[in-house]
Every structure is written in C-alpha cells, then in structure tokens.
Amino acid sequence: MPASKEVINLSANRAGREALTKQARDYLPGSMPLLNLNAGRAALLAYFENTWALTEQLFSGLASDEAFFVRPYHKTRHPLVFYYAHPVCFYVNKLLVAGLIDEPVNQEFELLFETGVDEMNWDDLHEGEQDIWPELSAVRAYRQQVYELVYGLISTHPEFDQPVTMDRPGWALVMAFEHERIHLETSSVLMRELPSEHVRLPQTWPDYLTPPADAVQEPVEGKHYPVNKWLNVGAQDVRLGKPSGWPSFGWDNEYGNDSRQVESFKATKYLISNGEFFEFVRAGGYENAKYWSESGWGWRQFRNVKWPTFWVQDGPAGSHRYKLRSTFCELPMQWDWPAIVNFYEAKAYCAWLTEKEGFDNPCRLLAESEHLAIRDAALAGAVEWKQGDNNCLALDAVMLATPQSPMNHNLRYGAESPVHACPANSKGFHDTFGNVWQWCEDPFHPLPGFEIHPYYTDFSTPCFDNEHQMILGGSFISTGDEASIWSRFHFRPHFFQHAGFRVVQDVGTKVKRGDKYDTDELVDQYLLFHFGSESEQRDDAITAAVGHPTVGNLIERTVALVNEYSQKQDSVLDLGCAVGRSSFELSKTFNTVVGLDYSQAFVDAANAMKTNRELPYRRRETGRHFENLTARLDKRVETQRVTFVQGDATHLRGTDLLQQQDPFDALLLSNLLCRLGSPRDCLQQFAKSDRYVRRGGVLVIASPNTWMTDFTPEDEFLDGQDSEATLQAIGSCLPGFTLLHNEDVPFMIREHRRKYEYIVSQVSVWRKD
C-alpha cells in the first residue's frame, strides 16, 4: 500500500536501508541520543530504526509466545500482546490524521489496539478480555507491514526534505517515535510484574552499572547502603516551559511559560534506598493505617500489600527476608538500589519517618518547582533559549546517558543502580535525572499557555484531573523525550513505574507541632461550626432555661455575597477554607473551587469530607465528656469541582497548584486576615498582579479584626479607630479595587456547652477594576 503518491519501490532502496540499520544499531543495546529535528532525513531514519529495534530487543525478553497473552496479576492492564501492537497502530493512525498516508493498513487492528487502559482506581479491574487478541503471528506480520510503510515514508516523502516542526505534518511521525519509547518503558514494567518463568534476559541487553551485591539479610546502614544526608536549598525563583521552537519533539504539557518562587527547603542527597525503606517495612509501616492516606490505605488493604511490589519474599512470614525482582530475573536484595514504590507507599514512608525522627516539620515529596531547584544550575538557562541557538541540544545531551554522561539514563544500563553510584551534580544531589523516576507532590497540571496539539488531543488533558501524580527525572530505561530536561510525566498514585522518591522538608517554621490550628480538638470545633445544625451547636436545656443569642450564619452569608456580586461564576478561591464548608457550598454555583488553608489538619479533614461526604467528630460537652456527631455534606454539593491544598495565603506563589490556574472570578477570605503575619502582603498579591483575580472579579473579605501581636506584628495591623477607618486601611492595600458593599455579621463558635465565642465579623465586597 503506498504511503503517498511519492513513495517508490522499497526494493530499490534495500542497500541504503541496510547501511542505515547499521548506523541505528551502533547504539544498541542502548538508545540513540534525542533526535534533532533539524538533522534531516537520514537522522529520522536512524532514529526510527533505533526506536523499533529497542522494542524488538525488549520483547525478545518474553520467554514464549504464551507470555504475550498472560494478564498482569493486578488485571488493570492489557496483556503484553497489546503493547507489542499498540505503538505500531499509533504510527498508522497519526500519519492518517496528519495526511501523510491515505489508507489504513489493517483497520480492524487499528481499532482494536488503539486505546490502552487508564483505570480509575486500584480496584477497577478489566475482566473478560482473554479471547479478543489475534494470533501473535498476525501481530508480527502487521508490525512488518507498518515497518515497511514508515521506512518508505521517511525515505521518499518530500515532507522530510525540511526540518520537522510542530506545525507541519512531520510532527505526527516524531510523535509516533516518542510514543513508542514511552511504551518501551511501561512494557518493561509489565514484564517485571510477570512471573519469572515468562521472561528471560534478551541476548542483547545493557549490563548493570555495578555488579549486583551478594545476598545480605540484615543490612547495615553505611555498609550495605549509604547514610542519607540532608542538603539545604535556598529560596529562589525557577522558570519552566519548553520554548516552542526547541528542535526536539515535546508533548503538549511541556510547553508554556511559568515562573514559580521556591521557599527554602532541604532534601535527601540520595534517593531513598531499599535499605532505608526496609526499616519502614520492618517497623510495621504496612500494618499501621496512621501513616497512610485514606485512599492509600484502601489500596494497601485491597492488595494485601506488606512490602514493595518488586520485593520477593525469601523466607517464612515475619522473617523479613527478601530478594529483588528486576525486569528479567530475581537478584539478591540490592539494599543500595533505590526503592521502587508507588505514590501511596512513598507518602506513607514520609509520615513514618516524620514520627520516627520526631521532626517538627513533616517529611514529604518533592514539588515540581523543587525538582527544578536541585538540578544543575546550567540547565536553568534552557528556558531562555532563543530561536537560532544551535547549541541548545547540548543541554539536553547533558541529560542523556551517552558514553560522555555518567547518568543511568537512556538505557545505558539495564537496571537501576546504587543511589550513590553516579556522581553528584553541582548542588550535591545524586540522580536528579536517571536511575528511577521521582514521585512529586504535584498533581499533573498544565503550564500557563498550554495548548492541545491537534494530532493528539487527549494525551494530557484527561489527566489534568487531580487523580494523576507527577513523576520527574526519568529512569534507567527512559529514552528520547522521556530522557529530556523538559519531560513531565504522570501516573495514578497506585500505579507502578520504575519510580522512587527522595524526601523533602520545609526549612523554617511553616508547620509547628502543637500549633493551635493543627490540633484534633480544634478540627472538631470547626467541624461543628461549619457543619453542625443550629440545635447541635446549642445545649437545649440551657437554651430553654436562659435563652440563646440569635446570630447569623457567617458561612452561608459570605457564600451568598460571593454569588451575588460575581459577574462570572467559573472559578473561585477560598482562602482560609478551614474544614471546607464554604468551598463545598460554592461548588453548587462555581465550576472550579480551590480551598487553601495553612493548617494541614484542616485540609486533611476537608479532603476526608470530599471523599466520604461525611466525617465523624466529637463535640465537647464539658471536661472529659464528649458526644459523637457526624458532619455531612448537602446532596447538592459537587465534590468533583473542589480541590483542597495546604498553603500560605500571604505567599500564594509558593503553592504550585495556584500557578497552574487561570485567574479566579472570585476570592473569599473568611476570618483569615487578622491571623496573618503580613496581611498587607496577602492583599497586595491581588492588586499587583492579575494572576489570582481577573479584572472584574470580586474579593469578599470577612474579618473580626481581632489584631494580636501573637499573630501579626503591630505595624502590620490593618485597623482603625472605627469600622470606616478599618475599611480604609484594607482599601489602601487594594489599589485598583472598588468597595461595593460592607456589613456586619455576628456568629458564634461553641467551645463546650457553657462557653461560646461571640464574634462580629466585618464583611466587605470589593471589585477589581
């Protein structure tokens, strides 16, 4: 079948093809460097040949034809026969979309193998597929047909007489190259999950960086795995976003332009090793729900997980004797290799480590902006690249595991390697790129200026759902664009990839143990204030005897004002959201609601409400006596519209999620202003920039104006002799805003049945001109 009218007889080009095959195979068993899109037809052919050969090399590691059809144990992915054919049909489908070919090759296959699986949850199993797959011989024949088609297209089509750019049809071809390289990696993970009898070491496969160590059942820190150290990273601004003219392929989510401010933090010098993670396993970390998120604990219970998925039990239960499963075989446990875990496991380890070490600031994972901050400083200049700078790919080459690079990247080596084996970068960190991917705190998100590419409209956008966690840095088997400095990938938190993590802590006093706003008792008090009925917030007997003041409902009133004055109701930011009632109420009218609070305990409670739509809590009666109650959401609340995040209202640039949002139509600051260290800084963020509030958007402020030096330096007080003077003080921080409305709203917060805090909040509504 002709690729186009310009395609010539392939047999006449056989000798040239054999020479190019040799050029492509010179890099095997590893990968060629990332393709330079300006390098011409010969480079395209060589890169195609190398890409194809890497797939064949990997699948030669299946021990039999039967292995192609074995379902993974978790039943959330197709068998490997699908992934042997899927990248091939992608070539055909995308070349059709781009108009580079006129007809399908095998329309039945190109429908059957078109779409993979992105299960919604860890128990979203896919049954009943065993009989839908064609014979392996037919799949191999199909692969050969497509190989001939693509080779002929590259060899002869006039499209490839010029550089490939994202606005030309040739982009579809290089997109297919990089798509196949993604599945090279994901297929290797599926092979690693197969029983050992179904795999074998391919005849050509890269060697280990260092020979695997002999078996040791009781690892010693400093001997069998390195002592991990904390390295401090100073506050800085980082920029990200691949320039649109950069002469290598990029997925749509890599492009855009963003600036983020990174606060001081410290991170572990090395990735967390199997030896370090072993301490968590041996300490019972998998048996203790307190270390796990609710969804993480649900996954752990459903799978009955007791150790990382690639650890193999090598003794009786409770003996804690393990081997390590690599892609093609079992090895003695390599204690100094990075622990390969999913997001849930990484977060549980962080919680356990915080408790074990008695840290004031909790351990967590890297943020995307922090991953940029620990990279070599030389890479920061890449975002400044201008069209015509022909040395730009040298920056990407720094990342690629070529003979000149010491990184375990680009399939230079055939497995992960010790966390201290590759040299540290200029900032002292090991494996910022390569070895294994690194889980991040960030959900997958677009950069400002993100645009969908018409050749693959659903590559990224379905995953901007707060259900996919970012992974950065690539692994030993990441090649091509995955091994680029621009790479931004993601997976669901229960999913396994060649992915590990390093541990991060904030530096300073962002979170304090014993902080008034991070106690269970205060969470209970706020759950009652937010969700308790009028009768639940009073004591009936005392009310009957002495009466009870009549007060308004601050939450309902401020939400009503947001709705009344917002000209557009698409997105709203609820600053100081506490346990979330206002955010949930706003979801009835706004499509996107972000609730932010400084207290992680409040955010955790709000997220629990979002997940379960109810949450038990205790109402203090007096002294040691409590009554158990349950907070419940109104049926009209649209929880899928709401996202909660921990952050500092005075420094929103430090919250990555907010840098990914378009300006909000409305902001609500309720009972927050007089508890901030710098209320002026908070308000001036909205006046100095359009990032957070669009022009025409509204700002609703509710504040009791209880100014105290415990929270705010006296020279930062926004107060006055009377209410009017206080409004003027607030207005002085909001140039470009017009005061539309103000009123007083009384409310009460119950401490116990005989003590209530009576408060009158000054509520004002402002519009950005």
Side-chain angles (χ1 to χ4, degrees):
M1 181 197 68
S4 74
K5 294 179 175 62
E6 291 83 3
V7 173
I8 61 171
N9 190 320
L10 288 174
S11 62
N13 204 30
R14 186 75 62 184
R17 176 158 40 141
E18 290 173 357
L20 286 165
T21 298
K22 180 181 184 304
Q23 177 189 351
R25 290 182 180 275
D26 281 346
Y27 284 90
L28 294 175
S31 172
M32 294 180 68
L34 183 61
L35 176 65
N36 184 339
L37 300 183
N38 295 328
R41 192 186 301 272
L44 289 169
L45 281 167
Y47 196 74
F48 168 61
E49 284 278 86
N50 182 252
T51 303
W52 197 276
L54 288 173
T55 297
E56 290 294 340
Q57 175 179 268
L58 176 70
F59 277 82
S60 72
L62 293 176
S64 65
D65 288 359
E66 175 192 358
F68 281 80
F69 299 91
V70 176
R71 292 291 306 281
Y73 73 89
H74 44 70
K75 298 183 179 179
T76 59
R77 287 288 186 271
H78 296 312
L80 279 157
V81 65
F82 174 87
Y83 299 99
Y84 192 46
H86 170 64
V88 182
C89 86
F90 187 94
Y91 279 95
V92 177
N93 289 335
K94 296 307 175 187
L95 294 176
L96 279 166
V97 169
L100 291 172
I101 61 174
D102 303 322
E103 306 171 25
V105 174
N106 181 327
Q107 193 164 30
E108 180 183 354
F109 277 23
E110 281 136 27
L111 291 173
L112 176 63
F113 292 110
E114 181 177 22
T115 306
V117 177
D118 180 31
E119 75 282 0
M120 295 302 294
N121 210 333
W122 30 261
D123 57 356
D124 185 11
L125 309 183
H126 293 264
E127 304 281 8
E129 297 178 343
Q130 290 84 347
D131 298 328
I132 68 173
W133 310 113
E135 295 288 335
L136 186 58
S137 59
V139 174
R140 285 176 171 147
Y142 174 66
R143 282 181 59 86
Q144 186 60 33
Q145 282 182 282
V146 176
Y147 173 87
E148 297 284 347
L149 168 68
V150 176
Y151 191 95
L153 184 77
I154 300 170
S155 298
T156 65
H157 200 291
E159 171 65 20
F160 304 110
D161 291 333
Q162 56 200 311
V164 175
T165 58
M166 69 170 64
D167 58 349
R168 295 199 57 83
W171 194 255
L173 176 71
V174 294
M175 178 183 286
F177 293 164
E178 299 303 335
H179 174 264
E180 182 171 3
R181 287 170 178 262
I182 290 174
H183 283 286
L184 178 76
E185 180 156 2
T186 56
S187 295
S188 73
V189 176
L190 290 172
M191 291 182 187
R192 195 168 186 172
E193 292 175 336
L194 285 179
S196 297
E197 62 266 24
H198 291 301
V199 293
R200 63 192 176 195
L201 186 68
Q203 289 186 349
T204 57
W205 190 252
D207 205 350
Y208 301 106
L209 174 58
T210 59
D214 294 334
V216 172
Q217 296 302 335
E218 291 293 332
V220 177
E221 184 182 39
K223 181 179 180 182
H224 301 111
Y225 59 95
V227 177
N228 219 337
K229 299 178 181 179
W230 294 98
L231 299 180
N232 288 310
V233 181
Q236 58 192 275
D237 290 331
V238 298
R239 290 184 58 194
L240 62 165
K242 185 174 185 174
S244 59
W246 190 276
S248 68
F249 175 83
W251 296 104
D252 53 9
N253 66 79
E254 298 171 22
Y255 296 100
N257 196 328
D258 201 11
S259 297
R260 300 178 187 175
Q261 189 170 47
V262 180
E263 300 292 341
S264 299
F265 68 98
K266 59 182 181 180
T268 53
K269 179 182 181 74
Y270 307 117
L271 298 170
I272 298 302
S273 64
N274 284 319
E276 292 171 278
F277 205 85
F278 177 66
E279 293 301 317
F280 170 66
V281 174
R282 187 161 57 179
Y286 279 83
E287 282 74 50
N288 199 328
K290 68 179 179 179
Y291 302 129
W292 298 76
S293 66
E294 184 173 0
S295 55
W297 185 247
W299 166 81
R300 195 220 68 77
Q301 289 184 303
F302 180 78
R303 291 292 178 195
N304 194 26
V305 179
K306 299 178 181 178
W307 49 75
T309 193
F310 297 125
W311 292 17
V312 180
Q313 187 174 356
D314 192 34
S319 67
H320 292 299
R321 297 170 66 91
Y322 304 100
K323 292 182 179 180
L324 180 66
R325 172 62 189 272
S326 66
T327 306
F328 301 110
C329 63
E330 289 181 6
L331 301 169
M333 177 55 71
Q334 303 299 300
W335 298 113
D336 58 358
W337 288 16
I340 293 182
V341 295
N342 67 21
F343 176 80
Y344 290 143
E345 293 167 302
K347 290 290 287 181
Y349 176 90
C350 289
W352 167 81
L353 185 64
T354 301
E355 179 184 86
K356 173 179 175 288
E357 299 296 335
F359 290 134
D360 287 337
N361 286 346
C363 297
R364 57 176 177 81
L365 307 178
L366 279 168
E368 180 182 23
S369 55
E370 291 167 340
H371 188 265
L372 271 71
I374 68 173
R375 300 178 183 184
D376 273 304
L379 301 176
V383 294
E384 306 291 346
W385 174 83
K386 303 297 183 185
Q387 196 87 25
D389 178 1
N390 295 324
N391 294 321
C392 63
L393 286 184
L395 286 168
D396 257 340
V398 170
M399 298 296 95
L400 298 174
T402 64
Q404 291 75 41
S405 170
M407 295 182 181
N408 188 359
H409 222 201
N410 220 43
L411 204 53
R412 184 180 185 189
Y413 304 105
E416 59 268 34
S417 53
V419 296
H420 56 330
C422 292
N425 69 6
S426 61
K427 297 183 179 180
F429 291 98
H430 293 248
D431 294 328
T432 53
F433 285 89
N435 207 356
V436 296
W437 293 90
Q438 296 170 57
W439 286 106
C440 293
E441 291 284 351
D442 310 60
F444 188 48
H445 58 272
L447 300 178
F450 166 82
E451 293 182 1
I452 297 170
H453 196 279
Y455 292 164
Y456 200 163
T457 58
D458 58 352
F459 178 77
S460 296
T461 50
C463 302
F464 297 151
D465 58 0
N466 290 317
E467 301 291 343
H468 292 74
Q469 294 298 137
M470 291 195 69
I471 56 173
L472 294 173
S475 77
F476 68 92
I477 198 172
S478 298
T479 69
D481 178 69
E482 281 193 300
S484 164
I485 60 174
W486 308 110
S487 174
R488 304 174 75 240
F489 277 86
H490 58 278
F491 280 100
R492 292 192 182 273
H494 62 276
F495 189 75
F496 289 100
Q497 190 67 359
H498 302 296
F501 66 106
R502 70 179 76 236
V503 176
V504 176
Q505 278 189 319
D506 295 318
V507 173
T509 56
K510 278 190 172 181
V511 181
K512 298 179 181 179
R513 285 195 174 177
D515 188 304
K516 174 185 176 184
Y517 291 98
D518 268 320
T519 63
D520 290 341
E521 184 173 355
L522 199 73
V523 170
D524 285 345
Q525 190 179 111
Y526 268 73
L527 284 167
L528 176 63
F529 170 52
H530 277 226
F531 297 100
S533 66
E534 185 175 347
S535 63
E536 287 173 335
Q537 298 194 47
R538 300 180 179 183
D539 183 277
D540 290 340
I542 293 175
T543 299
V546 301
H548 194 92
T550 300
V551 295
N553 187 303
L554 179 68
I555 293 173
E556 292 179 1
R557 181 57 188 150
T558 53
V559 168
L561 288 170
V562 172
N563 287 327
E564 178 182 349
Y565 284 94
S566 295
Q567 296 174 338
K568 182 181 178 185
Q569 294 184 342
D570 184 46
S571 61
V572 59
L573 174 60
D574 179 10
L575 289 178
C577 66
V579 294
R581 170 79 187 282
S582 296
S583 299
F584 290 125
E585 292 298 318
L586 289 164
S587 76
K588 298 175 182 177
T589 49
F590 284 79
N591 295 322
T592 299
V593 183
V594 177
L596 179 146
D597 203 277
Y598 188 74
S599 165
Q600 187 64 54
F602 281 171
V603 171
D604 290 345
N607 276 321
M609 287 291 293
K610 175 183 174 180
T611 300
N612 301 313
R613 301 189 72 91
E614 64 179 31
L615 186 65
Y617 66 97
R618 301 195 309 169
R619 181 184 70 182
R620 181 181 290 277
E621 297 304 313
T622 186
R624 298 168 295 168
H625 301 281
F626 296 84
E627 181 170 347
N628 293 323
L629 299 173
T630 300
R632 291 185 172 87
L633 290 184
D634 185 324
K635 292 181 179 179
R636 295 172 295 163
V637 168
E638 301 284 354
T639 56
Q640 76 280 3
R641 298 178 176 179
V642 185
T643 300
F644 294 104
V645 61
Q646 190 275 333
D648 183 351
T650 64
H651 190 68
L652 297 179
R653 287 184 66 189
T655 303
D656 283 349
L657 178 64
L658 298 184
Q659 311 315 310
Q660 303 144 22
Q661 298 278 349
D662 291 332
F664 290 92
D665 300 311
L667 263 71
L668 171 63
L669 285 79
S670 185
N671 284 0
L672 173 69
L673 205 60
C674 59
R675 288 297 178 265
L676 297 177
S678 182
R680 284 188 176 85
D681 285 350
C682 175
L683 295 179
Q684 287 172 357
Q685 296 172 110
F686 314 132
K688 291 180 178 179
S689 168
D690 293 337
R691 175 177 286 276
Y692 304 111
V693 191
R694 69 170 181 83
R695 296 194 178 274
V698 298
L699 170 61
V700 176
I701 302 173
S703 177
N705 301 326
T706 310
W707 299 101
M708 301 170 61
T709 55
D710 288 350
F711 299 97
T712 311
E714 189 169 321
D715 60 359
E716 286 276 351
F717 287 3
L718 298 180
D719 60 349
Q721 193 67 33
D722 54 29
S723 296
E724 183 63 30
T726 299
L727 284 175
Q728 290 175 2
I730 292 172
S732 70
C733 301
L734 293 170
F737 280 77
T738 300
L739 178 64
L740 303 178
H741 172 82
N742 73 92
E743 65 180 80
D744 292 329
V745 178
F747 65 98
M748 297 181 69
I749 296 179
R750 170 179 168 147
E751 292 188 25
H752 56 77
R753 68 183 180 184
R754 291 184 176 275
K755 183 180 179 183
Y756 296 79
E757 189 176 3
Y758 180 84
I759 305 164
V760 179
S761 190
Q762 184 179 35
V763 181
S764 55
V765 182
W766 308 77
R767 172 160 292 139
K768 189 167 188 176
D769 301 328

